């Protein structure tokens, strides 16, 4: 029940009401009539009308509409304030929405495979490392057999293939997988079938599975493609199936999938048998097995493998396992969380700025609010009006933030895909919209409560008698504003410190000497079909012809060929035995290496500290020579001139030049 109108007036207003009543009595009116007229003069009639309207069922909706119209008029009159608040909140909300969309798609949403929580990745190395291609074919087979009671194990390798379409060669991304790879992930073909176990061995019938994209773009989504022969790497393969649309593994857009993972193009068959590492291994836990149980079994299995395959090059060391999602996004997890933390700090700073603006505006309106209260407006209505204004500002900020958030999402996805290609495409959906509106509504409520609380603690009569300066300098108001400024300064200092450290790191990276010339240097992939260029002589002739033709093009000052490029690929790993040291077999130290043409060091501007570079006299039939880097010399030839020394690199005697 609402209090009678007279009970709502304070002592001073009741005094003035009594004075007005006595004036009407002095004019000869009875006391009841005099009191009624005095009440009407003080707004009792309008209050009675409002109380009747309060009984209407749609009064709340009408009142909200009035509050919105009043708020819109207020903001039109204070355009600078409105623009500043809306733009500040829009930028902060857009940044949080964009980074949250990437965090959600990469870290919070499960992978788009069947029962993704059971999927693991197994690799050779410590748990803190995240290498991919660490398993050899013999070790994969061994683990697949010995882990059958705990998990199903499959393998994957990437490659580049040449598809002949209408007589024209086309370079495509390819993948080789074990026969159980797709069933392990829960993938079913859109057309045809997938690989059978009998097709996953050397010498098996050449079959291929196509991606849905290649099927659509190059074969017009013709279901008759199944059973047709296509030419890949100058060999005929029978198409047995087409994968569902959108399927990817590790973010790689593979178009041609083949079996026979033992037939890799990276290593010779002898190296494969002796434990060359080139496979990525995934597993699916059985429902009653935990990750901890599998991890305990892994190193026991590795020890057994080392004893049973003592002559292989991949024995010894740890074997680790983790959830596939953790490993896929492990390289960007820390970066994402740090970036999100920084964006949250940016949101806090924006809220502090907006809070100060809203507080200052509330103080400036204290006299206006005091007059409205004196005329009969309730504190609840005043609070509702102020809250409506802040929520309207938040809604306007969300509207402006949506296009900014979309632009930010696309930019972040492009940036993170350079490190982790599996980052899925981020987009605005119902969940993300709810997050955005929830963030904005929360900001609006918090920002609206601060001036409401301060105004409620104030005295309306003070606002009527004095200027708003007396309220703005009150102890409580000063404490709140000082608190907001303190939070803002603390977060700003933290962000500035982090920004300074990042800027310093970026400057060091930009000025770091890599030993490579990157200006005016272009890298092109070059992959040969193994059947057509099976001998070293044919490959050398082809590479020589490529270099001659490229160097003959106008404007090109030099060209070179390498199987890997520094800072782009780490090269293949082999065992090293130094002259005069005992041969430890598989326990020999390892080193990374690459094969390059004679002009490689000049094209990339790599300086030579001693000896000579390769020349035209270094051929497959001449004395074998090698160039080592400074780190290799310090590690294996400390305090000794390495020129003229001998090392065993892989299985060949190589002369250090």
């Amino acid at each position: 029940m609402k209090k009678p109108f007279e009970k709502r007036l304070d002592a001073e207003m009741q005094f003035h009401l009594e004075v007005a009543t006595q004036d009407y009595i002095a004019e000869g009116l009875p006391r009841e009539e005099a009191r009624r007229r005095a009440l009407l003069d003080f707004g009792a009639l309008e209050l009675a009308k409002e109380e009747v309207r309060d009984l209407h069922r749609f009064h709340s909706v009408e009142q909200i509409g009035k509050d919105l119209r009043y708020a819109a008029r207020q903001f039109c009159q204070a355009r600078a304030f409105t623009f500043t608040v809306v733009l500040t909140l829009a930028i902060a909300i857009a940044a949080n929405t964009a980074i949250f969309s990437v965090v959600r798609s990469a870290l919070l949403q499960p992978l788009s495979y069947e029962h993704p929580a059971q999927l693991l990745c197994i690799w050779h190395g410590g748990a803190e490392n995240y290498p991919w291609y660490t398993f050899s074919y013999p070790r994969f087979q061994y683990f697949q057999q010995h882990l059958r009671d705990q998990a199903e194990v499959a393998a994957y390798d990437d490659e580049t293939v040449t598809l002949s379409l209408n007589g024209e060669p086309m370079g495509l991304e390819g993948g080789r997988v074990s026969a159980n790879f797709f069933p392990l992930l829960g993938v079913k073909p859109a057309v045809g079938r997938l690989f059978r176990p009998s097709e996953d061995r050397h010498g098996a019938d050449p079959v291929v599975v196509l991606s849905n994209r290649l099927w659509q773009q190059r074969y017009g989504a013709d279901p008759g493609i199944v059973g047709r022969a296509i030419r890949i790497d100058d060999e005929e393969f029978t198409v047995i199936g087409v994968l569902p649309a959108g399927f990817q593994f590790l973010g790689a857009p593979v178009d041609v999938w083949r079996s026979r993972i033992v037939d890799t193009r990276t290593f010779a068959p002898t190296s494969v048998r002796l434990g060359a590492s080139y496979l990525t291994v995934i597993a699916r836990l059985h429902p009653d097995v935990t990750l901890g149980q599998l991890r305990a079994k892994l190193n026991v299995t590795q020890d057994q493998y080392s004893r049973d395959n003592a002559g292989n090059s991949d024995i010894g060391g740890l074997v680790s396992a983790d959830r596939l999602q953790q490993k896929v996004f492990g390289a960007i997890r820390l970066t994402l969380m740090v970036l999100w933390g920084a964006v949250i700090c940016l949101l806090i700073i924006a809220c502090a700025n907006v809070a100060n603006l809203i507080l200052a505006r509330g103080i400036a309106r204290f006299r206006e609010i005091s007059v409205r209260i004196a005329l009969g407006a309730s504190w609840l209505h005043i609070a509702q009006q102020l809250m409506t204004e802040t929520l309207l500002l938040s809604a306007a900020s969300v509207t402006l933030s949506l296009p900014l958030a979309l632009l930010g999402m696309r930019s972040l996805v492009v940036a993170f895909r350079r490190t982790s290609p599996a980052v899925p495409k981020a987009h605005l959906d119902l969940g993300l919209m709810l997050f955005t509106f929830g963030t904005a509504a929360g900001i609006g409520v918090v920002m609206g409560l601060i001036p409401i609380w301060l105004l409620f603690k104030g005295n309306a009569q003070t606002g009527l008698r004095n200027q708003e300066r007396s309220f703005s300098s009150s102890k409580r108001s000063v404490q709140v504003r000082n608190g907001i400024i303190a939070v803002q300064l603390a977060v700003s200092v933290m962000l500035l410190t982090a920004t300074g450290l990042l800027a310093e790191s970026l400057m060091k990276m930009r000025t770091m000497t890599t030993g490579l010339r990157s200006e005016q240097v272009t890298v092109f992939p070059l992959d040969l079909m193994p059947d057509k260029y099976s001998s070293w002589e044919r490959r050398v002739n082809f590479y020589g012809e490529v270099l001659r033709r490229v160097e003959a093009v106008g404007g090109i000052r030099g060209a070179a060929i390498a199987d890997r490029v520094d800072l782009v690929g780490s090269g293949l790993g082999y065992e090293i035995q130094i002259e005069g040291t005992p041969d430890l077999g598989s326990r020999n130290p390892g080193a990374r290496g690459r094969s390059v043409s004679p002009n490689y060091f000049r094209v990339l501007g790599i300086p030579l500290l001693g000896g000579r570079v390769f020349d035209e006299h270094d051929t497959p039939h001449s004395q074998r020579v090698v160039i080592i880097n400074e780190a290799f010399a310090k590690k294996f030839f400390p305090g000794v001139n390495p020129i003229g020394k001998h090392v065993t690199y892989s299985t060949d005697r190589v002369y250090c030049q």
Side-chain angles (χ1 to χ4, degrees):
M1 293 293 293
K2 293 185 176 181
K3 295 181 180 180
F5 179 73
E6 296 179 55
K7 298 292 186 181
R8 301 186 196 182
L9 303 179
D10 56 22
E12 183 175 352
M13 297 301 292
Q14 288 184 5
F15 171 76
H16 290 297
L17 178 63
E18 183 62 30
V19 170
T21 302
Q22 293 300 326
D23 290 341
Y24 281 117
I25 291 175
E27 294 177 4
L29 294 175
R31 180 172 181 80
E32 290 185 3
E33 180 65 19
R35 190 69 169 180
R36 186 180 65 81
R37 291 197 179 189
L39 288 172
L40 291 176
D41 291 343
F42 273 76
L45 179 60
E46 292 301 319
L47 183 64
K49 292 180 180 179
E50 289 183 6
E51 290 177 349
V52 171
R53 286 195 295 267
D54 288 347
L55 299 176
H56 197 277
R57 67 177 62 184
F58 297 111
H59 170 71
S60 298
V61 177
E62 294 176 358
Q63 187 60 51
I64 292 174
K66 291 180 179 179
D67 291 341
L68 288 173
R69 289 193 295 272
Y70 182 78
R73 289 196 300 271
Q74 290 286 323
F75 294 146
C76 289
Q77 294 173 2
R79 292 186 179 89
F81 165 82
T82 305
F83 176 79
T84 303
V85 170
V86 170
L87 183 62
T88 301
L89 287 180
I91 293 174
I93 293 173
N96 271 271
T97 302
I99 189 63
F100 175 74
S101 68
V102 181
V103 170
R104 186 189 62 161
S105 60
L107 305 183
L108 303 181
Q109 286 186 341
L111 295 174
S112 56
Y113 305 128
E114 187 178 274
H115 305 299
Q118 298 175 351
L119 292 177
L120 309 176
C121 186
I122 303 175
W123 68 94
H124 188 203
E128 70 281 357
N129 299 321
Y130 282 90
W132 285 106
Y133 304 93
T134 62
F135 259 64
S136 66
Y137 183 72
R139 181 161 51 183
F140 161 68
Q141 287 187 310
Y142 194 92
F143 274 63
Q144 188 180 45
Q145 179 182 358
H146 287 76
L147 296 177
R148 284 182 300 181
D149 58 335
Q150 292 189 322
E152 183 182 1
V153 181
Y156 160 84
D157 183 27
D158 63 349
E159 60 182 358
T160 303
V161 303
T162 301
L163 172 67
S164 297
L165 189 63
N166 299 325
E168 293 293 329
M170 178 189 307
L172 297 173
E173 290 295 324
R176 288 187 183 265
V177 295
S178 57
N180 65 333
F181 178 82
F182 293 118
L184 185 146
L185 293 177
V187 178
K188 295 178 174 57
V191 178
R193 64 174 178 86
L194 300 176
F195 301 116
R196 294 169 179 161
S198 60
E199 296 166 338
D200 188 16
R201 55 180 175 81
H202 179 69
D205 293 336
V207 294
V208 64
V209 174
L210 304 181
S211 72
N212 202 282
R213 181 181 64 174
L214 181 66
W215 179 54
Q216 296 274 352
Q217 294 178 354
R218 299 297 177 179
Y219 298 101
D222 180 12
I225 189 66
V226 176
R228 189 185 305 174
I230 62 175
R231 200 159 194 84
I232 301 174
D233 292 342
D234 209 23
E235 179 184 0
E236 284 196 351
F237 283 77
T238 302
V239 178
I240 61 173
V242 177
L243 293 177
F247 172 79
Q248 285 187 347
F249 181 68
L250 303 183
V254 176
D255 287 314
V256 177
W257 296 86
R258 297 191 283 184
S259 57
R260 303 187 309 188
I261 56 175
V262 66
D263 296 332
T264 177
R265 297 169 61 178
T266 306
F267 294 97
T270 301
S271 297
V272 171
R273 288 195 301 270
L274 292 177
S277 300
Y278 62 94
L279 291 176
T280 291
V281 172
I282 62 173
R284 180 179 290 279
L285 284 174
H286 295 330
D288 56 341
V289 179
T290 65
L291 177 58
Q293 291 172 333
L294 181 70
R295 284 173 172 169
K297 182 71 177 293
L298 284 178
N299 288 299
V300 173
T301 306
Q302 172 64 13
D303 292 340
Q304 294 173 346
Y305 173 77
S306 299
R307 290 193 298 267
D308 295 343
N309 301 271
N312 284 13
S313 61
D314 60 343
I315 63 175
L318 298 174
V319 176
S320 304
D322 203 350
R323 305 288 180 187
L324 183 60
Q325 181 157 12
Q326 298 290 329
K327 185 168 175 60
V328 168
F329 302 113
I332 63 170
R333 175 179 296 275
L334 181 60
T335 304
L336 270 176
M337 300 312 294
V338 170
L339 182 59
W340 196 16
V343 171
I344 290 176
C345 291
L346 176 66
L347 181 63
I348 294 174
I349 294 175
C351 290
N353 285 329
V354 171
N356 270 325
L357 289 173
I358 292 177
L359 180 60
R361 189 167 183 272
I363 291 172
R365 298 175 61 192
F366 184 61
R367 183 176 180 82
E368 167 207 333
I369 294 172
S370 299
V371 171
R372 293 172 62 188
I373 292 174
L375 293 177
S378 66
W379 277 109
L380 181 61
H381 187 199
I382 297 297
Q384 178 179 320
Q385 176 62 47
L386 294 177
M387 191 64 70
T388 301
E389 293 178 6
T390 55
L391 290 176
L392 184 59
L393 287 173
S394 297
S397 302
V398 169
T399 304
L400 180 60
S401 71
L402 292 180
L404 299 176
L406 284 172
L407 180 62
M409 287 178 204
R410 294 167 185 162
S411 302
L412 284 172
V413 169
V414 170
F416 280 112
R417 279 182 176 173
R418 296 172 183 170
T419 303
S420 181
V423 173
K425 182 180 179 180
H427 57 277
L428 283 175
D429 55 14
L430 179 59
L432 196 58
M433 293 292 290
L434 289 176
F435 169 82
T436 304
F437 283 111
T439 301
I443 292 172
V445 170
V446 173
M447 295 302 98
L449 288 175
I450 295 174
I452 290 173
W453 179 74
L454 287 176
L455 291 170
F456 281 2
K457 293 296 183 179
N459 189 332
Q461 297 305 316
T462 303
L464 288 171
R465 291 192 298 266
N466 305 321
Q467 298 295 326
E468 58 268 11
R469 183 179 300 174
S470 62
F471 178 77
S472 65
S473 60
S474 68
K475 181 178 179 181
R476 184 175 293 106
S477 176
V478 172
Q479 288 176 343
V480 172
R481 282 182 291 170
N482 289 342
I484 294 174
I485 293 173
V487 172
Q488 184 177 356
L489 286 175
V491 177
S492 299
V493 169
M494 182 169 58
L495 272 183
L496 286 174
T497 303
T499 303
L501 294 174
L502 287 174
E504 183 181 4
S505 300
L506 288 174
M507 289 298 298
K508 288 182 177 179
M509 291 175 64
R510 290 178 61 88
T511 58
M512 182 189 304
T513 302
T514 63
L516 300 179
R517 180 195 297 122
S518 58
E519 297 82 6
Q520 297 181 324
V521 175
T522 303
V523 179
F524 294 97
L526 182 62
D527 195 51
L528 302 185
M529 293 182 288
D531 294 337
K532 190 173 182 179
Y533 298 93
S534 56
S535 66
W536 277 107
E537 184 177 0
R538 299 189 69 178
R539 294 187 183 191
V540 169
N541 292 336
F542 175 82
Y543 290 142
E545 183 64 22
V546 167
L547 290 177
R548 282 190 293 272
R549 293 190 182 187
V550 171
E551 289 176 338
V553 177
I556 294 181
R557 293 182 293 175
I561 292 179
D563 62 344
R564 297 289 194 281
V565 179
D566 295 83
L567 302 183
V568 177
S570 59
L572 302 179
Y574 294 97
E575 296 173 2
I576 294 293
Q577 183 194 355
I578 306 301
E579 179 183 17
T581 62
D583 187 357
L584 303 178
S586 61
R587 294 189 298 276
N588 280 329
R592 295 284 176 179
R594 56 183 54 88
S595 300
V596 300
S597 63
N599 212 18
Y600 175 80
F601 298 99
R602 186 179 69 84
V603 169
L604 291 183
I606 300 176
L608 192 68
L609 302 181
R612 68 172 179 85
V613 296
F614 301 123
D615 57 31
E616 66 276 5
H617 301 293
D618 298 313
T619 68
H621 305 292
S622 65
Q623 184 183 26
R624 297 193 173 186
V625 294
V626 67
I627 297 174
I628 62 174
N629 62 13
E630 187 177 13
F632 186 98
K634 289 181 178 179
K635 180 178 180 180
F636 295 108
F637 299 100
V640 179
N641 185 0
I643 305 299
K645 300 296 182 181
H646 292 80
V647 298
T648 299
Y649 182 78
S650 183
T651 58
D652 300 321
R653 180 70 62 184
V654 181
Y655 186 74
C656 267
Q657 187 72 5

